[in-house]
């Protein structure tokens, strides 16, 4: 496990990206103040780690392809913000990026630290559930945040992040997903993404939040059918589009950074309307299985704090802070049929 991507290697890749026609070793050396031998050494190392760099006598070095990996060297060129991703950690395989990020946060990791893995061997959902995390096709990332808000407000970050995931999918998959309170993102009949927000708090303030995001990008429908015991999909399975994973991560972190900053400045109110615009449960007859048993009613929407509001059978309003939602009015918009949705 490392932070991946030396600074010089990253600078060379950036130069090569900027000059798709090729750039001479002498120019690289001049710009980065390296000897030709040092340039050659870095290029060789990049090649060994999967970068296809073609060398021609006339044009110098040309970047032919970038490895499909989520290391710092691959992700950094796609970052647009200043906060999220300023520290990037990457691993080929890890038990859970959330567990890893929590460890880093306890050891003092700065706000905005992002942890990525190609594969998780013990990816986690809520309440001890698992997250199917096959290697090399999806996104598994966790972000360390240190918002100065009371602990009770931390769950709002799940909704903030849900909007960012939905906006990123809408932009890169060309189709608008739906949000199911509190932490599911749904696309064409299945769950495409799940969020797991975990917190360490002191008496009356959050010490840190680890925001975990799993998104199925290029997993096949078949793999998801075998790996998940509930309706699941990926962007590829739902739309036929292959998504470049590093570009997706960059876009997602940018979308999230903007919303996170607005949330810190203006509170949850600014997020609420956008969240509602993606909601697939508002107006539906639903059941919520929560810590205090099951509650039924018609979903009215989320309130100013992000709690789910239901109108109960007797017309009374119910306020739900946690639970699993399923639609019971005979039509589940994400499953295309009757009954309970997964997640
Ligand atoms: C979630 O929990 O949806 C939160 C998932 C968070 C995963 C990310 S990946 C990066 C970070 N590191 C982690 O270890 N976790 C986070 P929940 O609402 O409890 O839903 C879990 C349920 O979703 C499972 O019981 C399955 O039914 C279903 N599921 C599992 N893997 C899935 C997948 N890859 N795609 C769609 N659905 C899945």
């Amino acid at each position: 496990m490392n932070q991946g991507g030396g600074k010089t290697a990253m600078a060379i890749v950036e130069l090569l990206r900027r000059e798709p026609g090729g750039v001479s070793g002498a120019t690289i050396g001049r710009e980065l103040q390296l000897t030709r031998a040092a340039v050659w050494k870095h290029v060789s190392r990049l090649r060994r780690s999967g970068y296809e760099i073609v060398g021609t006598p006339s044009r110098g070095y040309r970047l032919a392809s970038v490895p499909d990996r989520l290391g710092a060297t691959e992700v950094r060129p796609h970052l647009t913000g200043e906060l999220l991703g300023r520290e990037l950690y990457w691993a080929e395989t890890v038990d859970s990026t959330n567990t890893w990020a929590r460890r880093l946060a306890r050891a003092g990791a700065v706000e905005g630290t992002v942890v990525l893995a190609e594969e998780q061997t013990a990816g986690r959902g809520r309440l001890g559930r698992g997250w199917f995390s096959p290697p090399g096709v999806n996104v598994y990332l966790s972000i360390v945040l240190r918002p100065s808000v009371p602990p009770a407000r931390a769950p709002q970050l799940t909704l903030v992040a849900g909007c960012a995931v939905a906006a990123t999918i809408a932009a890169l998959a060309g189709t608008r997903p739906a949000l199911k309170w509190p932490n599911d993102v749904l696309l064409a009949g299945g769950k495409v993404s799940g969020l797991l927000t975990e917190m360490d708090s002191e008496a009356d303030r959050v010490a840190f939040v680890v925001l975990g995001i799993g998104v199925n990008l290029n997993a096949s429908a078949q793999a998801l059918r075998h790996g998940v015991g509930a309706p699941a999909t990926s962007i590829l399975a739902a739309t036929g589009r292959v998504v470049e994973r590093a570009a997706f991560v960059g876009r997602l972190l940018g979308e999230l950074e903007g919303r996170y900053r607005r949330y810190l400045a203006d509170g949850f109110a600014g997020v609420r309307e956008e969240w509602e615009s993606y909601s697939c449960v508002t107006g539906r007859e639903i059941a919520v299985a929560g810590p205090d048993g099951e509650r039924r009613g018609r979903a009215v929407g989320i309130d100013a704090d992000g709690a789910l509001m239901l109108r109960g059978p007797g017309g009374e309003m119910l306020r739900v802070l946690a639970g699993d939602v399923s639609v019971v009015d005979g039509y589940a918009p994400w499953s295309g049929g009757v009954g309970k949705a997964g997640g």
Side-chain angles (χ1 to χ4, degrees):
M1 294 179 195
N2 61 31
Q3 257 185 282
K7 278 209 168 68
T8 311
M10 265 190 267
I12 291 177
V13 172
E14 213 175 293
L15 256 176
L16 293 173
R17 278 179 189 270
R18 227 168 41 219
E19 303 288 348
V23 52
S24 73
T27 308
I28 298 176
R30 204 169 47 244
E31 293 226 3
L32 303 178
Q33 302 191 344
L34 297 168
T35 62
R36 302 263 314 241
V39 172
W40 185 82
K41 200 182 73 196
H42 283 291
V43 167
S44 307
R45 203 176 291 152
L46 281 165
R47 282 179 175 147
R48 278 199 301 279
S49 77
Y51 282 79
E52 201 186 330
I53 299 171
V54 184
T56 60
S58 57
R59 287 183 164 165
Y61 297 111
R62 185 174 63 77
L63 186 58
S65 76
V66 170
D68 179 15
R69 189 174 48 210
L70 298 176
T73 314
E74 293 75 45
V75 168
R76 209 168 277 294
H78 297 284
L79 295 182
T80 52
E82 274 152 26
L83 181 63
L84 305 187
R86 57 188 173 145
E87 295 282 341
L88 284 170
Y89 289 80
W90 172 87
E92 189 77 45
T93 177
V94 72
D95 50 359
S96 149
T97 56
N98 259 44
T99 307
W100 184 13
R102 208 160 60 185
R103 220 166 32 238
L104 291 169
R106 287 197 177 130
V110 292
E111 169 157 85
T113 297
V114 167
V115 170
L116 286 148
E118 301 298 321
E119 174 190 30
Q120 298 184 116
T121 52
R124 296 192 282 111
R126 293 175 302 152
L127 305 168
R129 292 186 284 235
W131 188 255
F132 175 59
S133 311
V137 284
N138 295 331
V139 166
Y140 318 112
L141 76 77
S142 299
I143 308 167
V144 176
L145 298 175
R146 299 184 180 277
S148 56
V149 299
R153 285 189 53 197
Q156 294 171 343
L157 289 166
T158 306
L159 306 177
V160 174
C163 288
V165 173
T168 305
I169 292 175
L172 298 186
T175 170
R176 203 175 150 83
L179 292 173
K180 180 160 82 78
W181 191 91
N183 69 318
D184 287 1
V185 188
L186 310 166
L187 193 63
K191 179 159 165 174
V192 68
S193 169
L195 298 127
L196 177 66
T197 306
E198 298 180 305
M199 163 181 65
D200 255 26
S201 59
E202 289 148 12
D204 55 356
R205 61 175 280 275
V206 166
F208 65 81
V209 166
V210 169
L211 184 55
I213 306 177
V215 192
N216 302 324
L217 296 191
N218 302 319
S220 70
Q222 192 190 13
L224 290 165
R225 233 179 353 259
H226 284 291
V228 186
T233 193
S234 65
I235 291 180
L236 176 64
T239 69
R241 279 196 203 189
V242 172
V243 180
E244 193 197 334
R245 294 185 306 140
F248 186 94
V249 168
R251 179 73 184 239
L252 174 58
L253 294 176
E255 297 283 351
L256 182 56
E257 182 163 331
R259 286 169 180 81
Y260 180 61
R261 286 184 191 279
R262 277 202 297 283
Y263 168 78
L264 291 181
D266 307 333
F268 183 71
V271 181
R272 182 180 172 192
E273 197 178 322
E274 185 186 16
W275 197 92
E276 284 287 2
S277 77
Y278 286 110
S279 171
C280 65
V281 295
T282 302
R284 310 217 73 91
E285 204 63 46
I286 62 171
V288 189
D292 323 315
E294 186 182 90
R295 293 159 126 190
R296 285 187 176 228
R298 187 165 294 274
V300 176
I302 54 172
D303 72 5
D305 297 322
L308 183 63
M309 303 299 291
L310 301 185
R311 191 177 303 284
E316 74 283 12
M317 288 300 278
L318 304 168
R319 194 165 177 268
V320 182
L321 292 170
D324 284 302
V325 169
S326 50
V327 167
V328 293
D329 62 8
Y331 168 70
W334 55 84
S335 71
V338 175
K340 203 172 150 76

